[in-house]
Amino acid sequence: MNGGIKTGFSISALAMMLAACGGGAATGTADASTGGLAQGIESAPVQAWPQDGGMQADPRMTADMRAAQPLPQPQRPPMPPPLDTRLGQQVQIMDMNSFGKPVVAGTVQIPAGWQSGGGITWNTGTPCFSNQMQVNWSAIGPDSLTAVALLPGFNWQVQGTQNPENPCPVAPFRGARDFLAAHVQKLRPGMRIVEYRERPDLVRQIAAAGQQGIRYDAGQLIVGYPQDGVEMEESLLAVVTFTSNGGGTMGSVGTVNSVRGPKGRVDMGLAGRISATMQPDAQYMAAVRQRAQQNIGQWAGARSQAINDWHNRQMAVINARGNADRHAIRMRTNSEVASIYNSIATNTSQTNDGMHATTMSGVREVNNYAGVDGTTVENSIHNGTRVFQDTGNPNNAYSTDQPYAQPPSGYVELEPMR
């Protein structure tokens, strides 16, 4: 955390990852003249319905013949026409509240007539600096179905290698597949996993410019789900960076890159064309680096003060004892203090590595509570702030914002973990 820290926030780096969505994930054939797909348009025969809502009966048919006829089935609405993406328009990616007012984080070209939304926010409530910056931006086509998006990523300590001095959360994800499988459950409840694709091409591309001691894994998850009566297909791409130091391993996903649209008409090349136009704002990037440095400095200062206070208390105990054991106690205390400083140095290195490898950090958006059975209970920040857990069955827990909530018998309110 000493001078020269890098936050890893780079819209151009995100663009490189988003552009990679075009490699091997297309589910249709691009129409070069329109920028859409020529195939996959559903058409349905049109039937004339009389004013009373019934089909016109053939007068030559008997009543028995008419009764034996199958009932008419409603026709599915036709698919909207392919989108024309040849013309572009420049839009701004905004940071809505990080510096007291909306500021421009960068610009990007999206197809003319499309709408962009979202941007960058900061969650200063998490002590894990790599999860404070959240990116949630999308460009949506006129059909309200086709979209390209940058979704929040996540930074974590790999379960089984965690360091108690590291403020980042612990998770079991050991690769892109584990991360995406868990992430998509929250993002698209009820979806169907169609296919998972390893992306060694991205690993080679990123590793060529990487550093020693860093491992990369990349994958692409294809899912399907209905939306507004249309069968949708979506590609979710993630690149995971693993950094190891002192026996601990940090996992980092800067953003999850999403491309979605009607099944058979997802133009993966569009993501690359959009991402190639992303340009970060130089003043914003400088402000982000300064803010990250301040946040890390504040945390390091608080930790150092806590260590100094502990050291002073230990020295007071030593001074109260006799000269016979003063030397032995002082040596043991110095060893303990050195171990604590070494843990902080290790954590600082891991944090810097994670922030360097992260293009734009996301957040998992959960608060942790101390469970009744010694475990940790996670609660989304979008839920209530008061969490209750069943002492008889710790698997049962709920949250609420009601100030006078009366939990059922056997439930106790949990304390947030700091």
Side-chain angles (χ1 to χ4, degrees), residues 156-234:
W156 69 96
Q157 297 186 79
V158 177
Q159 192 173 54
T161 71
Q162 64 265 27
N163 183 341
E165 299 296 326
N166 190 328
C168 292
V170 178
F173 313 136
R174 296 183 178 271
R177 185 167 194 162
D178 295 341
F179 171 79
L180 285 172
H183 185 80
V184 76
Q185 296 291 340
K186 176 182 177 182
L187 181 68
R188 301 282 183 251
M191 56 74 214
R192 304 183 315 279
I193 294 180
V194 177
E195 181 183 0
Y196 177 79
R197 301 170 181 173
E198 300 284 351
R199 294 299 302 270
D201 55 322
L202 291 182
V203 172
R204 289 190 297 268
Q205 179 182 356
I206 298 174
Q211 298 178 344
Q212 295 295 327
I214 297 179
R215 180 174 66 87
Y216 302 97
D217 186 36
Q220 188 173 7
L221 190 66
I222 312 298
V223 300
Y225 51 89
Q227 178 177 325
D228 299 331
V230 177
E231 185 61 27
M232 298 287 289
E233 194 166 51
E234 182 170 3

Side-chain angles (χ1 to χ4, degrees), residues 17-75:
M17 294 172 58
L18 188 57
C21 291
T27 60
T29 303
D31 185 340
S33 64
T34 65
L37 295 182
Q39 300 178 358
I41 306 177
E42 299 181 6
S43 59
V46 178
Q47 291 182 323
W49 293 81
Q51 294 298 321
D52 62 2
M55 292 294 292
Q56 294 285 3
D58 188 339
R60 296 170 297 178
M61 297 178 65
T62 67
D64 291 340
M65 293 171 64
R66 287 194 294 270
Q69 293 297 310
L71 294 175
Q73 298 296 321
Q75 300 297 316

Side-chain angles (χ1 to χ4, degrees), residues 28 43 49 74 83 87 94 147 187 207 220 229 289 300 304 348 356 380 393 407:
S43 59
W49 293 81
L83 299 178
L87 300 179
M94 304 295 295
L187 181 68
Q220 188 173 7
R289 286 190 290 270
S304 296
T348 300
H356 172 76
S380 172
N393 185 358

Side-chain angles (χ1 to χ4, degrees), residues 20 89 97 99 111 131 160 168 179 217 240 290-291 316 325 329 349 362 404:
Q89 61 182 357
N97 59 9
F99 302 96
N131 280 335
C168 292
F179 171 79
D217 186 36
V240 185
Q290 181 180 4
R291 176 172 182 157
D325 60 352
I329 295 175
S349 176
Y404 304 107

Side-chain angles (χ1 to χ4, degrees), residues 69 74 147 175 195 237 267 269 402:
Q69 293 297 310
E195 181 183 0
L237 175 70
D267 180 6
Q402 297 182 6

